[in-house]
Amino acid sequence: MSRLKATLFLVILICTTRTALAGDQLMDEAEQNALRIAKAWGIGSPRFVETDGKSIIATGGVDGIVSVGREFIAQIHARNDDTRRSAVTFVMLHELRHLEQANRLKEEFEDMAKRPLLECEADIQASRAIVLDLLLKIPDFSQKEHLAAASRSLEVFHDTWPGLVELLPASGMGQEHLTKRQRVLALQFGLWRAFGDRLVDEQDEKFRAVADRIFAQAGAQADLPVNDWGREVCERVVGEETQALAKIYFSIEPGDLEEDNTQTFRLSAKNNSYRDIMVSVTFLEGHYPKGQETNIENYVFTDATTSRALVKGGKSEILEAKMKLPSAPEGSDIFIWSLPFLDQALLSAKFLGPKRPPPSCGDNLVEFNDELDGTFLDMARLAGMARNRFSDVVAANNNNFGFESSVVESSLKVRGAMRTEIFITGDTAATVTFYDGPDEFKALSVFANQASQIKKRCTEPFAGIREWIGKDDQLPNLDIKRFTPYARASLVISKQTDDEEPEKPPEYWVYWVFHYNSP
């Protein structure tokens, strides 16, 4: 087929499918409504195209295509056309948001690991947009009839949630999407944010006070742009940055219960890493119909509050939040999500600042102006070669008379040591020997001196110094997890006997051994 014929074929296809899609009045109304609402996102001129199948998929950037399967609308179970129209509008907004993401986020949009986060963001922004559009049609919130109309419109949107939760996939095209719980939370936070955005512009102070309260429920900060707000909330909803979160140890602190039934929740967050971490926790409460604890789409969320804390490396901080305890309507049970150990917890944690090598002894060895200063500085230099498996310090003039040896001399000498060697084995290591002989007392003295001196000089808490007595030989050992950022070190005293001459006195070897240690 020529390029001209192919182009004409594509134009005819688009025109006919567009006409077919517009032929369904409800679909056409939802499409136009979604395009109108999405203009605030900087959407260009996307097209809706009817295709075979049941799915709805967005491809391309801001001027991309949303392919809508002919059987798509038949999957939406709703009690009336208003609910169905609202559900279709939401799904179309969700897909249009993906077009906006593809343009704004580019490489991140193609990252499969980010798919749940992007799906949550599309849901939360679609929910906010559709609710805000309804609220902006209310000219005066002080008029009861206007509030009643708004309430009816919001009920229609809320009625779509069970159908949306069942309809929208947990995975698609080989990628993880959202669980039912995550999708309902995205819908709820989007709804709260829309109310805050609408009421904050009201002239009446009482409405602005309500807006402040709703912003707190939505986890919104005054200086945080709406896109960044959506990202932050979704990080808690889907549990982003699991590596940072794994470094936080939570414990429950005593909280106060006031006379008006306001509960103070307190969590202690300890940072077990050397990097600073920003921790966020959202506390949620509400109620659900009795016997329907697993039906998240029927939950009613009555309040939420978010607490944030910057937790320095190795330190602890308290995250605190206050909420009035919920009351259960007849036929309902209450829920309070406040424990970070449960699946319902809304947590996020982020490492702050650029990634850097972990702190170690070698970063800041304390000097005492004695002969051992040079010894430990030389050992730090030698341990610093562990990243390249000590290949830089294997002596070039090492002569083994034509035979390969697993022990070679190091070109970097350690002052005060008897010898410095590289053991070329499966796990290449460097050793620095300070005593090698039959005198047990001297061996123990050398070990004790080395151990006490390194403990005085290495003041870094993350270095991880550990001492113990060996079970078999009853000799002391000392281990340092981070002698340098990429090397662990052990101070060892080894007792060696001759099996062929058991009456011969044992030999003692006191040495440091350095191995590569991944950061």
Side-chain angles (χ1 to χ4, degrees):
M1 183 183 292
S2 69
R3 182 174 298 180
L4 176 60
K5 287 184 178 179
T7 303
L8 288 172
F9 177 77
L10 179 61
V11 170
I12 293 170
L13 173 65
I14 290 173
C15 290
T16 55
T17 53
R18 174 65 182 83
T19 303
L21 187 60
D24 186 315
Q25 183 179 352
L26 189 149
M27 289 288 285
D28 188 48
E29 290 172 357
E31 172 193 331
Q32 297 305 317
N33 204 25
L35 288 170
R36 175 181 58 79
I37 295 171
K39 280 186 177 180
W41 299 337
I43 296 292
S45 302
R47 299 188 303 276
F48 286 84
V49 176
E50 190 175 55
T51 60
D52 292 331
K54 302 177 180 179
S55 61
I56 176 169
I57 301 171
T59 54
V62 289
D63 294 315
I65 293 175
V66 178
S67 302
V68 184
R70 291 184 179 87
E71 301 173 54
F72 166 69
I73 196 170
Q75 301 174 92
I76 299 179
H77 302 293
R79 58 187 180 186
N80 54 50
D81 281 350
D82 288 340
T83 305
R84 183 174 288 104
R85 186 182 298 104
S86 182
V88 174
T89 301
F90 173 84
V91 176
M92 288 181 169
L93 280 169
H94 173 102
E95 294 302 325
L96 290 172
R97 188 69 188 188
H98 281 325
L99 296 181
E100 186 274 340
Q101 289 173 333
N103 181 66
R104 176 169 54 91
L105 302 174
K106 296 181 172 65
E107 290 183 8
E108 185 181 57
F109 189 75
E110 302 299 326
D111 185 352
M112 291 181 65
K114 293 289 185 182
R115 180 51 50 183
L117 184 63
L118 296 171
E119 289 294 324
C120 177
E121 286 189 65
D123 273 359
I124 202 171
Q125 297 295 354
S127 175
R128 172 186 173 271
I130 198 170
V131 173
L132 184 58
D133 184 65
L134 294 172
L135 297 176
L136 288 172
K137 295 174 182 176
I138 302 172
D140 188 352
F141 271 83
S142 63
Q143 298 296 319
K144 289 184 178 180
E145 62 272 19
H146 294 163
L147 287 176
S151 179
R152 286 193 296 272
S153 296
L154 290 171
E155 283 177 9
V156 168
F157 176 57
H158 200 275
D159 284 346
T160 67
W161 291 16
L164 289 173
V165 167
E166 291 298 328
L167 171 68
L168 297 175
S171 62
M173 300 179 70
Q175 299 172 328
E176 291 297 317
H177 283 197
L178 296 179
T179 65
K180 290 182 179 181
R181 173 182 168 278
Q182 291 168 344
R183 204 172 289 281
V184 167
L185 288 171
L187 290 165
Q188 180 64 51
F189 279 102
L191 183 149
W192 272 332
R193 178 61 193 253
F195 264 96
D197 288 338
R198 174 63 182 88
L199 292 176
V200 76
D201 293 328
E202 284 292 305
Q203 297 299 315
D204 194 324
E205 287 187 10
K206 68 180 181 183
F207 287 118
R208 291 201 296 273
V210 173
D212 291 340
R213 177 61 182 154
I214 295 176
F215 276 138
Q217 290 176 327
Q221 297 169 285
D223 58 344
L224 197 64
V226 69
N227 283 345
D228 295 336
W229 159 81
R231 169 60 60 99
E232 188 188 76
V233 171
C234 284
E235 285 172 346
R236 291 192 293 275
V237 169
V238 303
E240 271 283 295
E241 295 284 352
T242 53
Q243 288 185 338
L245 201 54
K247 297 296 184 181
I248 298 295
Y249 174 78
F250 290 101
S251 58
I252 301 172
E253 298 290 325
D256 303 321
L257 180 61
E258 300 173 17
E259 290 185 3
D260 65 350
N261 228 24
T262 296
Q263 175 72 52
T264 299
F265 298 96
R266 290 192 182 96
L267 295 175
S268 173
K270 182 181 179 182
N271 183 352
N272 291 316
S273 80
Y274 61 89
R275 297 176 64 188
D276 296 345
I277 298 178
M278 176 62 74
V279 181
S280 299
V281 180
T282 295
F283 302 85
L284 268 169
E285 64 182 27
H287 55 84
Y288 56 86
K290 280 187 180 294
Q292 297 190 36
E293 185 176 0
T294 59
N295 296 343
I296 186 70
E297 64 273 18
N298 294 327
Y299 275 46
V300 176
F301 298 90
T302 57
D303 202 2
T305 186
T306 298
S307 181
R308 303 170 180 85
L310 171 59
V311 189
K312 297 283 188 180
K315 304 296 183 182
S316 297
E317 293 290 342
I318 298 295
L319 293 106
E320 183 176 292
K322 289 188 175 185
M323 286 193 302
K324 186 170 287 190
L325 296 179
S327 57
E330 187 176 352
S332 299
D333 288 323
I334 65 170
F335 68 90
I336 302 173
W337 293 349
S338 62
L339 299 177
F341 326 108
L342 302 182
D343 292 340
Q344 301 98 324
L346 271 69
L347 308 170
S348 69
K350 281 186 176 181
F351 288 117
L352 298 184
K355 188 174 182 179
R356 64 182 190 276
S360 64
C361 286
D363 294 337
N364 190 27
L365 282 171
V366 178
E367 295 184 15
F368 288 90
N369 297 317
D370 58 26
E371 68 276 6
L372 285 177
D373 282 348
T375 298
F376 286 111
L377 286 173
D378 287 347
M379 286 201 298
R381 289 175 59 205
L382 177 66
M385 305 294 177
R387 195 173 186 182
N388 294 324
R389 306 308 192 272
F390 305 102
S391 60
D392 297 334
V393 293
V394 173
N397 62 350
N398 184 67
N399 188 351
N400 295 311
F401 304 101
F403 296 96
E404 291 187 1
S405 174
S406 62
V407 183
V408 299
E409 183 183 356
S410 168
S411 61
L412 193 162
K413 309 300 181 184
V414 174
R415 283 169 280 183
M418 293 178 63
R419 57 184 181 269
T420 307
E421 298 167 311
I422 309 299
F423 280 67
I424 304 174
T425 60
D427 182 15
T428 300
T431 64
V432 181
T433 300
F434 284 93
Y435 178 75
D436 192 359
D439 192 333
E440 180 180 6
F441 179 78
K442 188 172 182 180
L444 289 169
S445 296
V446 170
F447 181 97
N449 185 51
Q450 289 284 316
S452 64
Q453 290 297 326
I454 193 60
K455 286 188 289 184
K456 286 196 300 184
R457 286 169 162 80
C458 180
T459 59
E460 171 55 56
F462 280 99
I465 297 178
R466 185 172 68 96
E467 295 180 272
W468 74 98
I469 300 295
K471 278 186 177 182
D472 296 331
D473 55 19
Q474 294 298 298
L475 293 174
N477 293 266
L478 183 144
D479 187 74
I480 302 177
K481 184 179 180 181
R482 296 284 175 198
F483 194 85
T484 62
Y486 298 98
R488 69 182 189 272
S490 297
L491 177 61
V492 181
I493 180 168
S494 173
K495 180 180 179 181
Q496 300 170 332
T497 58
D498 192 331
D499 292 338
E500 296 182 0
E501 299 181 60
E503 70 281 355
K504 186 177 180 180
E507 294 283 318
Y508 294 90
W509 180 23
V510 181
Y511 63 96
W512 283 95
V513 58
F514 302 98
H515 294 269
Y516 173 73
N517 190 12
S518 60

